[in-house]
Amino acid sequence: MECLQEWPELVVPVQALSESGVSAVPDCYVKPLSDRPTGLSSPTGHEPNIPIIDLSGLSGGAVACRATIQAVAAACRDWGFFQVVNHGIGPDVIGRVRAAWRGFFDRPMEEKRRYANSPRSYEGYGSRLGVEKGAVLDWGDYYFLHLLPAEIKSQEKRWPENPAWCKAATEEYGREAAKLCGVLTKAMSIGLGLDAEFLGRAFGGEDEAGACLRVNYYPKCPQPELTLGLSAHSDPGGLTVLLADERVAGLQVRKGDSWVTVKPLPGALIVNVGDQIQVLSNATYKSVEHRVVANAAAERLSLAFFYNPRSDLPLGPARELVTPDRPPLYQPMTFNEYRLYIRKNGPRGKQQLKSLSRGQVTN
Ligand code: OGA
Ligand code: NI
């Protein structure tokens, strides 16, 4: 793919710009009026929030287990997003991985730039998504790595050397997050009225599923009202587990015509449905648009763990979920083919899923 070899313009880390003390956001980060954070905020003043689900119910008795599965299914249908508590990942594991990546982003710029990525695989340190020349950019940097399956795990040279324990802490967190995704896909499968292994099988089986990590770093922004930390998008893969910053909010989730600001609960993880599960569930579960607003007062760090289907399997709606009343809404496509779109075009709301759709899908 010729156009995915290099970035179309010189890449400037947003952190470098922010730390240089600029008092205005350069033009290339200024969003059109309709995309700016004030344009769509909820007018009510008392915003609803995404559901909070206690996963300890899954290992309780039959009644608690069923109620928890119903809560997961309802959240996947109504919001596409929820927070989980008692998710099984220890606070020590979470503390270490957070500290590792805060440590990395605190390293000198010249050291970070040694890991500069290219659009070919996106692995490493980067500041843009998409290769369209002249695109309006987002106010954020990131570090991207492949964790699973083992054959495509990012090579040693792609991992930060500092902090020295960054790789170990990330692998430890990655193992736990993958385990959690295994539990969640079972609950989500049962919630669709299917057998517990349905989504796991569709992803290619536990040893074949993919996982990658994007650590997002949103530096302080002199004019947060003009730009976004991350433009509106839905996640292209299966399921995302987001470890949000416990100190600074920023994630907003679309609910109808409003954007709801997520208030991260200390110790919780944020889970959201990706496009592939919307496809597999024939749009019973929704992959919902979300975005990140920038902040003048504080920088923000988040870790997005993406749990994905094996990349060479054609995925389409489950046969069991296709009925005369509910025809298949999507045509089968592999995740490899699907993800090229976002790698070329960058975040574009839900346009990509619409382009796959056969007929009338409203969300
Ligand atoms: C993402 C994402 C949200 C956040 O990385 O896909 O939506 O809060 N991140 O950083
Ligand atoms: Ni996302």
Side-chain angles (χ1 to χ4, degrees):
M1 200 51 65
E2 200 55 41
C3 65
L4 287 180
Q5 297 294 306
E6 288 307 327
W7 301 115
E9 289 142 338
L10 185 74
V11 174
V12 179
V14 178
Q15 189 179 4
L17 206 57
S18 172
E19 289 175 2
S20 76
V22 287
S23 57
V25 162
D27 285 349
C28 61
Y29 299 94
V30 175
K31 302 290 177 188
L33 268 173
S34 59
D35 292 349
R36 293 185 196 168
T38 44
L40 273 163
S41 63
S42 172
T44 61
H46 49 86
E47 292 191 337
N49 213 337
I50 62 173
I52 296 167
I53 302 177
D54 181 348
L55 291 187
S56 62
L58 293 177
S59 38
V63 174
C65 188
R66 191 162 322 144
T68 308
I69 289 171
Q70 290 314 321
V72 168
C76 292
R77 284 193 304 261
D78 302 342
W79 284 89
F81 266 83
F82 51 102
Q83 299 197 60
V84 291
V85 296
N86 293 316
H87 43 66
I89 308 186
D92 47 339
V93 174
I94 287 178
R96 275 195 290 277
V97 77
R98 251 190 196 136
W101 287 100
R102 288 217 171 101
F104 172 77
F105 283 99
D106 279 346
R107 304 293 302 174
M109 189 47 75
E110 65 187 61
E111 181 179 327
K112 290 190 288 257
R113 294 200 80 162
R114 289 212 290 271
Y115 305 96
N117 71 353
S118 90
R120 210 208 289 242
S121 78
Y122 277 86
E123 291 165 288
Y125 181 55
S127 299
R128 71 183 286 161
L129 297 165
V131 290
E132 192 197 355
K133 203 172 159 105
V136 181
L137 302 176
D138 288 340
W139 193 265
D141 301 324
Y142 63 85
Y143 204 103
F144 183 75
L145 288 162
H146 286 290
L147 305 179
L148 288 173
E151 311 89 80
I152 63 153
K153 182 174 170 181
S154 293
Q155 294 169 9
E156 199 65 35
K157 64 174 186 208
R158 302 277 194 189
W159 291 76
E161 280 174 279
N162 289 307
W165 40 277
C166 180
K167 184 162 182 253
T170 304
E171 287 172 336
E172 182 183 39
Y173 176 74
R175 275 192 299 275
E176 298 289 315
K179 227 187 291 170
L180 172 61
C181 289
V183 171
L184 289 167
T185 52
K186 284 191 178 71
M188 290 164 75
S189 300
I190 299 171
L192 286 168
L194 303 174
D195 76 277
E197 301 307 323
F198 166 73
L199 285 171
R201 259 196 322 271
F203 277 32
E206 227 154 79
D207 299 334
E208 298 289 329
C212 33
L213 181 73
R214 188 164 70 216
V215 183
N216 298 295
Y217 181 82
Y218 305 100
K220 283 182 203 167
C221 178
Q223 293 174 296
E225 65 286 359
L226 298 184
T227 188
L228 287 169
L230 181 55
S231 291
H233 66 284
S234 60
D235 291 349
L239 184 67
T240 304
V241 172
L242 183 81
L243 174 56
D245 200 302
E246 77 277 37
R247 301 175 301 200
V248 190
L251 175 64
Q252 295 187 326
V253 173
R254 188 190 272 282
K255 185 74 174 156
D257 288 334
S258 313
W259 290 97
V260 172
T261 301
V262 175
K263 299 168 195 74
L265 210 60
L269 294 165
I270 298 166
V271 177
N272 66 284
V273 172
D275 294 346
Q276 304 309 311
I277 288 186
Q278 178 166 329
V279 167
L280 285 162
S281 71
N282 207 20
T284 302
Y285 290 162
K286 308 291 194 312
S287 161
V288 169
E289 257 182 285
H290 51 286
R291 67 182 188 183
V292 176
V293 295
N295 191 308
E299 63 269 9
R300 176 173 180 271
L301 182 89
S302 73
L303 280 77
F305 176 87
F306 302 110
Y307 190 67
N308 297 327
R310 193 180 133 144
S311 58
D312 58 355
L313 299 173
L315 299 189
R319 240 178 292 128
E320 298 87 332
L321 301 178
V322 170
T323 61
D325 294 347
R326 203 168 171 80
L329 294 171
Y330 311 101
Q331 19 200 333
M333 190 188 264
T334 68
F335 183 49
N336 260 341
E337 292 166 328
Y338 191 82
R339 116 174 112 185
L340 271 182
Y341 180 101
I342 204 162
R343 290 194 166 181
K344 278 194 285 203
N345 299 306
R348 294 207 178 169
K350 288 206 67 173
Q351 257 183 45
Q352 180 177 15
L353 202 57
K354 288 195 182 115
S355 71
L356 181 66
S357 114
R358 288 168 183 266
Q360 299 297 305
V361 196
T362 49
N363 42 44

